[in-house]
Amino acid sequence: MAGASREQALSLLAAARNHGEPAVKVSSLRQAGEILSSIDPSSAAELFPYLVDLHSSPETLVRICLAKLLGKLGPRVIQHSLVLMPALFSLLRDHAPVVVKQSIVSGTHFFCTVLEEMICQSIKVERWLEELWSWMIRFKDAVHSITLEPGSVGPKLLAVKFLETFVLLLTPEAQDHESSISERRNCNVSQLGGNHPVLDVSSLVLEANKTLGFLVELSQSDKVCASLTIVIINCLAGVARKRPFHHSLILSTLFNFDSNIEMKKGHAASIQYSLRTAFLGFLRCTHSYMREAQEKLLKVLRSMNAGVAADQVVRQVGKMLKAAECATREARISRDDFSLIEPPISGDPTRKKVMVQDYDGPTSMDETPLKRIRYNLGSSLFQSAQLAVENQDDVTLNGFSSKVSLSDRDPTPAEQMIGMIGALLAEGERGAESLEIVVSKIQPDLMADIVIANMKHLPRKKTTSAEDLPTLV
């Protein structure tokens, strides 16, 4: 089977190179890529020389497809991908901007994968991986130079985005940073040990600082077009939110953004809107660094005629933080009260077992009488959340309805939080940012209560009797 797949892939690669119709070439290359992705990595690596030979194809569509395939296939067979690097760099210097853009995207995937592999090999780094890392450093330098070269703005935009990723990967995460769940799964230099055989954390952090300084200087250059300036502002704002270590430099840069540069670019309104969006995003951050700059942010936003939006964000974040804090405190009080009424058990271990068996009270977390504590958020947020749930179809979270019944008993803190989360889910995209803030501030003990409360709504496994089993004829 492997031999047949290999021969089929060879035939398709030959068609991608020699066929007269561009559409057939692209289709053949895509099919060959699917086969190479499905077979054993070592067998696929044998065909890589035929694959990379397509980087000189006269068809732009073929080169685009090849660049995309390198980014998809290379990280999957990372230990065999050294042979792919020359083709990637050739495509990075292609005369067609669309090919260069795809090469930057694929190279970004490569960079993240190689760094993650370097972090995993913390005791001894294999030779192939060390060579790949050298290629990645060269790739970073090549992308860096794209931002300064004359030409189409499209590749420059993606080059700046790669430099943002580079800074995020090589800047240690803060203890209270608010990255999303998907970002937390990514590798970061903070995962490196102090005695890595190849990578030095201090050197990597220094390189990230230099790259960030370059982005700051680029944002202030009057030779940069308006669209690129907007992308740089967005990238700097993203770094400040996700890596508050750099918040001071970035906030100072954006606060002192030269209005004369805006006028020279001829897109003052667009640039001001991007600054306004960045400042509002900073107000939504809840880590201490950004909270300290709140007054300055409000002052700047009011000067930009965005005071109403800023005040609304501040109220929204304040209510969310207060709700999460109250829920955590009530859950802790409930748990402490429950532990106080448990009689001290000592002596014969058999007596412990009898006492447990003799207790016929409720065992569920949300049926415990001591947890029937009225939980008053003291804010209009929860009231509006209840109204939102009542006015919409029943929204469920892991099978648990967001409509918490209050007719027979007061809700527990876990139920209150589930109701709030369900209401925010019901708001769709409008409640997404608020939902992220609430979830990021839920303490582990309250999260445990929420999980336990949801477990009773898991589908029960149906037992299969002997009569239900199919008979073999």
Side-chain angles (χ1 to χ4, degrees):
M1 183 65 181
S5 299
R6 183 180 185 279
E7 293 301 324
Q8 185 180 4
L10 276 174
S11 176
L12 290 170
L13 290 174
R17 180 172 180 80
N18 301 319
H19 202 280
E21 292 294 331
V24 176
K25 289 184 175 182
V26 173
S27 177
S28 299
L29 182 55
R30 289 174 178 171
Q31 295 179 52
E34 294 176 358
I35 295 175
L36 293 175
S37 300
S38 62
I39 63 178
D40 182 71
S42 59
S43 300
E46 296 177 359
L47 303 181
F48 283 174
Y50 302 96
L51 178 68
V52 299
D53 195 40
L54 294 172
H55 76 273
S56 59
S57 173
E59 303 293 340
T60 301
L61 291 177
V62 173
R63 299 197 304 277
I64 295 174
C65 184
L66 176 61
K68 185 180 297 185
L69 183 57
L70 293 180
K72 177 183 178 182
L73 183 61
R76 293 184 181 181
V77 292
I78 192 67
Q79 67 274 23
H80 302 287
S81 59
L82 270 173
V83 69
L84 303 178
M85 291 298 103
L88 179 64
F89 273 72
S90 176
L91 296 172
L92 192 63
R93 296 186 293 268
D94 198 277
H95 63 274
V98 66
V99 178
V100 179
K101 290 168 60 177
Q102 184 58 56
S103 302
I104 295 175
V105 173
S106 298
T108 303
H109 295 325
F110 258 112
F111 190 94
C112 296
T113 303
V114 173
L115 179 59
E116 183 176 3
E117 194 68 28
M118 290 286 286
I119 293 174
C120 293
Q121 296 189 17
S122 57
I123 299 178
K124 181 181 179 181
V125 178
E126 299 182 50
R127 181 57 182 268
W128 62 265
L129 183 57
E130 192 171 349
E131 293 182 13
L132 267 179
W133 179 249
S134 299
W135 278 101
M136 292 299 100
I137 298 300
R138 292 171 56 188
F139 176 81
K140 181 262 178 184
D141 294 337
V143 173
H144 181 281
S145 64
I146 289 177
T147 61
L148 301 175
E149 296 174 353
S152 174
V153 70
K156 298 178 187 293
L157 301 180
L158 287 177
V160 169
K161 290 298 294 181
F162 168 77
L163 294 180
E164 178 196 6
T165 302
F166 181 83
V167 174
L168 292 175
L169 291 175
L170 300 187
T171 301
E173 297 177 346
Q175 293 296 325
D176 60 345
H177 89 293
E178 299 178 347
S179 59
S180 63
I181 294 176
S182 60
E183 188 202 342
R184 290 172 189 168
R185 296 195 187 108
N186 293 335
C187 60
N188 181 263
V189 71
S190 58
Q191 302 170 4
L192 277 173
N195 298 318
H196 195 277
V198 175
L199 300 181
D200 178 64
V201 176
S202 58
S203 298
L204 295 176
V205 172
L206 179 61
E207 192 64 30
N209 293 341
K210 291 180 180 179
T211 303
L212 180 63
F214 169 75
L215 290 176
V216 169
E217 293 178 0
L218 197 63
S219 69
Q220 298 172 338
S221 173
D222 56 356
K223 298 180 180 180
V224 177
C225 65
S227 58
L228 184 57
T229 300
I230 292 172
V231 171
I232 296 174
I233 291 174
N234 294 337
C235 291
L236 291 176
V239 172
R241 290 195 305 269
K242 299 172 185 177
R243 300 294 183 268
F245 174 79
H246 297 298
H247 85 285
S248 179
L249 171 63
I250 295 176
L251 284 178
S252 176
T253 300
L254 297 183
F255 284 153
N256 300 320
F257 203 81
D258 191 352
S259 58
N260 293 329
I261 295 179
E262 297 180 16
M263 297 305 297
K264 289 180 182 180
K265 299 175 190 297
H267 295 78
S270 299
I271 295 177
Q272 188 178 41
Y273 182 81
S274 65
L275 289 171
R276 173 182 177 273
T277 303
F279 294 148
L280 289 174
F282 294 152
L283 282 180
R284 294 186 179 94
C285 296
T286 56
H287 48 66
S288 57
Y289 298 104
M290 289 302 179
R291 306 304 293 175
E292 294 171 359
Q294 185 180 92
E295 291 300 324
K296 177 67 173 178
L297 287 168
L298 290 174
K299 181 179 178 180
V300 172
L301 283 167
R302 290 189 180 105
S303 68
M304 301 171 69
N305 297 324
V308 175
D311 293 337
Q312 183 179 2
V313 170
V314 171
R315 289 193 299 268
Q316 184 183 35
V317 173
K319 291 176 181 179
M320 290 296 175
L321 293 177
K322 183 178 179 181
E325 181 182 355
C326 291
T328 302
R329 183 171 59 252
E330 291 294 339
R332 187 178 297 110
I333 293 174
S334 300
R335 186 173 290 103
D336 292 342
D337 290 343
F338 181 76
S339 62
L340 287 176
I341 68 151
E342 290 183 342
I345 301 175
S346 60
D348 188 0
T350 58
R351 191 177 187 284
K352 300 180 183 179
K353 184 175 182 180
V354 172
M355 293 185 67
V356 174
Q357 291 176 346
D358 288 344
Y359 179 67
D360 295 329
T363 58
S364 173
M365 290 291 289
D366 50 353
E367 293 178 358
T368 304
L370 291 171
K371 297 202 71 177
R372 297 176 185 176
I373 299 174
R374 178 169 298 278
Y375 176 54
N376 182 14
L377 292 178
S379 67
S380 61
L381 173 66
F382 182 66
Q383 296 174 1
S384 62
Q386 285 181 313
L387 292 175
V389 177
E390 292 172 359
N391 295 332
Q392 299 191 28
D393 293 336
D394 191 13
V395 179
T396 60
L397 178 64
N398 293 335
F400 189 86
S401 173
S402 61
K403 295 182 179 179
V404 180
S405 176
L406 301 176
S407 58
D408 57 341
R409 61 179 176 84
D410 292 331
T412 65
E415 290 173 338
Q416 294 276 12
M417 185 58 70
I418 292 173
M420 182 185 302
I421 293 174
L424 292 174
L425 287 174
E427 295 182 8
E429 294 183 359
R430 186 176 58 181
E433 293 182 354
S434 301
L435 178 61
E436 184 174 354
I437 295 175
V438 169
V439 174
S440 66
K441 293 300 177 182
I442 296 178
Q443 298 297 322
D445 52 358
L446 179 58
M447 182 64 75
D449 288 350
I450 295 175
V451 173
I452 293 173
N454 278 317
M455 287 179 66
K456 68 179 183 179
H457 299 282
L458 294 175
R460 296 182 178 180
K461 184 178 180 181
K462 181 181 179 181
T463 57
T464 305
S465 60
E467 291 79 3
D468 296 331
L469 295 175
T471 57
L472 299 177
V473 181

